[in-house]
Amino acid sequence: TVMPPSIPAVLFAATASISTGALFAGSILPAMLMALGLALYVFIWVRLHPQVAVTRPFVGSMLGKASARVIGPALLPVIILGGIFSGWFTPTESAGIAAVYMLVLGVIYRTLNWRVFWKASKETVVISGGILLILGASNLMGLVLAREQVSRNLGVWLTGLTENPVVFLLL
């Protein structure tokens, strides 16, 4: 959920009114460090527990097949971030382009059929509805809190408790 495209990052950007592109740019290094850490963990785990390792010998053709299979999906973050940062399209447009790209890959890799497409479409509608419900409720709550001046009243109350900045920060 860190590497773009990331639904939590898009939700955070929408609710905090910050740039989705900037948030995606800031998430690249942490995502790479997490992937490296996970790879290192798996390497150490297999060294400590050799019974979980695959016992088939390494064949170079397996690496070629796996590389050919993963290169398409691995280009998705490059297309999304490259398009956003080059100015070719907005983050919203990049979502549509990413969806079409993955549909084309599904057809090319022969993993997409009508049943899979229908199931994915239903899941997308459910997830999108939940996200919109959360955004609507958070906007309504923000309006109520702003109208009632909760943040100003809370600030006045906290500054009335103490004048010491250290105690204020601890509170």
Side-chain angles (χ1 to χ4, degrees), residues 158-159 161-171:
L158 282 174
T159 55
L161 290 176
T162 182
E163 293 293 324
N164 187 343
V166 175
V167 174
F168 179 79
L169 286 174
L170 289 174
L171 287 173

Side-chain angles (χ1 to χ4, degrees), residues 19-105:
S19 168
T20 307
L23 194 61
F24 280 175
S27 67
I28 293 172
L29 183 61
M32 294 297 180
L33 289 174
M34 288 171 61
L36 183 65
L38 183 60
L40 182 64
Y41 175 78
V42 170
F43 177 78
I44 292 170
W45 179 262
V46 170
R47 289 288 183 184
L48 294 176
H49 303 91
Q51 68 274 14
V52 299
V54 177
T55 57
R56 289 184 283 161
F58 175 76
V59 180
S61 64
M62 290 172 50
L63 180 63
K65 287 179 185 177
S67 298
R69 190 91 173 149
V70 79
I71 193 72
L75 285 177
L76 183 64
V78 174
I79 292 170
I80 291 172
L81 295 174
I84 292 171
F85 296 136
S86 67
W88 288 347
F89 40 82
T90 66
T92 305
E93 292 167 343
S94 74
I97 290 169
V100 170
Y101 177 72
M102 291 309 288
L103 283 173
V104 169
L105 280 183

